[in-house]
């Protein structure tokens, strides 16, 4: 698990290294609130190192926020709107649907194409939770038998048979930048584009 995170750190750089990285989460309270035994260790290590934020403004990683489950960018159960008739029909017709339950999905992020990035949170050991992706651009549901960090590495390195998300911005790029949401908000409040460092005008 930690080896995977170290590999990810070698190819994913913090955009604002001078700022404090990572986020602190009360994992016990968050697990109780979401009805799970805990969270995958690779994900917890990721949150400690990087926190909530985006990879090249393409893939967004969320964190649990106990007491504020309705807040944006917060880990939570797959919303009822996503478990609609179309999603359910595609799920039931997929190979994954014969092995897993849609109601076990726990969303940890999304893409700029509004794909849902989830865990199938059914095993009592969170380290065994596979990553599931709902590709909204026609791809349907796919379950990948890897953890969250390995999934991100596979996306950047291109080790999946095909790109596992609708947005191919990060597919096989080999390296990328990560921007913590706190740093993004700080830059925007200062009138600076956090990705380019350019001053924003009032029309941006």
């Amino acid at each position: 698990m930690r080896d995977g995170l170290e590999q990810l750190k070698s190819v994913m750089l913090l955009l604002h290294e001078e700022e404090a990285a990572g986020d602190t989460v009360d994992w016990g309270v968050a697990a109780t609130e979401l009805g799970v035994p805990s969270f995958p260790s690779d994900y917890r290590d990721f949150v400690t190192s990087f926190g909530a934020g985006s990879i090249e403004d393409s893939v967004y990683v969320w964190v649990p926020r106990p007491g504020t489950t309705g807040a944006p960018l917060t880990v939570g159960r797959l919303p009822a709107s996503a478990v609609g008739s179309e999603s359910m029909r595609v799920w039931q017709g997929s190979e994954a649907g014969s092995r897993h339950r849609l109601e076990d999905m726990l969303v940890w992020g999304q893409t700029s194409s509004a794909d849902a990035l989830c865990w199938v949170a059914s095993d009592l050991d969170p380290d065994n939770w596979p990553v599931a992706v709902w590709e909204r651009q026609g791809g349907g549901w796919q379950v990948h038998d890897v953890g969250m960090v390995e999934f991100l590495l596979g996306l950047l390195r291109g080790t999946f048979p095909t790109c596992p998300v609708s947005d191919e911005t990060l597919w096989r790029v080999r390296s990328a930048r990560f921007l913590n949401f706190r740093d993004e908000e700080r830059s925007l409040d200062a009138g600076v584009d956090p990705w380019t460092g350019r001053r924003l005008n009032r029309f941006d």
Side-chain angles (χ1 to χ4, degrees), residues 5-157:
L5 182 65
E6 291 306 312
Q7 292 180 50
L8 188 61
K9 286 181 178 179
S10 71
V11 297
M12 196 169 77
L13 304 178
L14 285 166
L15 189 57
H16 293 265
E17 294 186 60
E18 70 278 8
E19 304 293 350
D23 287 313
T24 300
V25 175
D26 189 327
W27 296 108
V29 173
T32 298
E33 190 172 86
L34 290 167
V36 294
S38 184
F39 293 87
S41 57
D42 65 333
Y43 170 72
R44 287 185 277 119
D45 289 342
F46 180 97
V47 171
T48 298
S49 297
F50 292 97
S54 71
I55 307 171
E56 295 294 348
D57 210 19
S58 175
V59 167
Y60 307 93
V61 179
W62 303 351
V63 296
R65 305 176 197 275
T68 57
T69 52
L73 311 176
T74 300
V75 170
R77 293 292 176 179
L78 196 66
S81 59
V83 192
S85 58
E86 176 63 14
S87 177
M88 182 64 77
R89 182 188 64 79
V90 174
W91 175 259
Q92 290 175 340
S94 68
E95 178 189 353
S98 65
R99 297 185 293 127
H100 305 290
R101 301 188 311 166
L102 196 58
E103 54 265 38
D104 287 328
M105 294 296 174
L106 192 64
V107 186
W108 57 263
Q110 69 177 48
T111 71
S112 57
S113 298
D115 298 340
L117 306 176
C118 314
W119 292 292
V120 184
S122 55
D123 197 290
L124 292 178
D125 183 353
D127 285 339
N128 293 330
W129 293 351
V131 168
V133 179
W134 168 242
E135 289 188 69
R136 294 187 185 275
Q137 309 304 316
W141 280 102
Q142 294 292 331
V143 175
H144 306 276
D145 291 323
V146 295
M148 173 262 199
V149 166
E150 190 175 346
F151 176 83
L152 294 177
L153 275 171
L155 176 63
L156 295 174
R157 292 174 170 174

